[in-house]
Amino acid sequence: MKPLAKQIWFNGKLTAWENCTVHVMSHALHYGTSVFEGIRVYDTPNGPCGFRLTDHVARLHDSARIYHFPMPYSVEELVQACRDTVASEGLKSAYIRPLAFLGGCGMGVTPSPEAITTDVMIAAFPWGAYLGEEALEKGVDACISSWNRVAPNTIPTGAKAGGNYLSGYLIGREARQGGYGEGIALGTDGLLSEGAGENLFVVRDGVLMTPPSSSSILQGITRDSVIKLARGLGYETREQTMTRESLYVADEVFMTGTAAEITPVRSVDGITTRAAGPGPVTKAINKAFRGLFDGTTPDRYGWLEPIHTAKTVSERQHEPA
């Protein structure tokens, strides 16, 4: 695999890419026992800033807690490790991937508590638009997948776990094989859930609607940010269940996520939205979102966390004893 970064923070220290190895008998490789995050770093007028960095790391801890994974590092330690990793790569903008996974726990599906070991890694590297630059500007063509999202009380969709994304893999693969840019899943109740790796928003008559947490979604941090920004702009915003035909008669549809950011949906199942791409509500929210990073939108919630607020690992290592 071509290296994405020179170093990766692995179990407490920055380690060369080629030395970050995991044994093939690791529990996570066999059973999907991992939790992870995706975090964007933006180049702002005040220098590189992680967008809601602490919130993301706190959710990583929450995901581990749901699955009973012991976390060997605190939220504060991992936030600093994210900063160290970005700084070590000299990046002004980046995508950060923290991952915690079960390692040498034996071959049983349910290892004994005393046998559980959790490995933690953090990588930082450049990553552009997840669904493509054209999709950001003109919108993506999506389809309703034949695959449903998992039912409540099967596996916890509130955790951002590696194994959960097998569902997204099937949804996205089916869409791309059918010539679409992304897939949208329904829940087992036949109501709208989310995209393969994104949350979903629908605009009708100026009202912004998104499926609630009970619709087998991951409660995305970008989703939460969009809700807060939209309400700040004066838009009525509702978390409510919706039928698939809500997409067919929508004025606007867009998807959100750390990787996808705010991506308009141009059509669903070949039915073009009334806006035929990014409509006025989508544009206004996206302008406010992007404005956080160029300074035109005030950071009222303290979402921008500077990367260089504390000494990096290399600086600390060269301090006199």
Side-chain angles (χ1 to χ4, degrees), residues 143-147 169-180:
C143 68
I144 302 295
S145 177
S146 67
W147 293 98
Y169 170 82
L170 291 170
I171 294 162
R173 183 178 183 276
E174 180 182 57
R176 285 161 179 78
Q177 281 195 316
Y180 296 94

Side-chain angles (χ1 to χ4, degrees), residues 36-42 49-60 78-79 81-83 86 93-99 121-127 160 221-222 257-259 261 303 305 307:
F36 70 98
E37 281 296 321
I39 308 161
R40 288 270 189 191
V41 173
Y42 292 93
C49 289
F51 182 61
R52 302 190 65 171
L53 173 58
T54 300
D55 289 338
H56 277 283
V57 174
R59 187 174 65 177
L60 180 74
L78 291 179
V79 166
C82 287
R83 290 188 173 116
V86 175
S93 60
Y95 181 88
I96 308 174
R97 169 51 55 86
L99 174 78
M121 58 76 64
I122 300 170
F125 48 89
W127 197 7
K160 193 173 177 71
I221 289 174
T222 306
T258 295
E261 299 176 291
W303 286 341
E305 300 181 46
I307 293 299

Side-chain angles (χ1 to χ4, degrees), residues 97-141:
R97 169 51 55 86
L99 174 78
F101 59 97
L102 299 192
C105 303
M107 281 305 295
V109 173
T110 308
S112 60
E114 61 272 13
I116 290 180
T117 58
T118 306
D119 293 313
V120 183
M121 58 76 64
I122 300 170
F125 48 89
W127 197 7
Y130 178 62
L131 296 175
E133 293 294 337
E134 184 177 351
L136 286 179
E137 296 177 8
K138 299 180 180 179
V140 65
D141 296 311

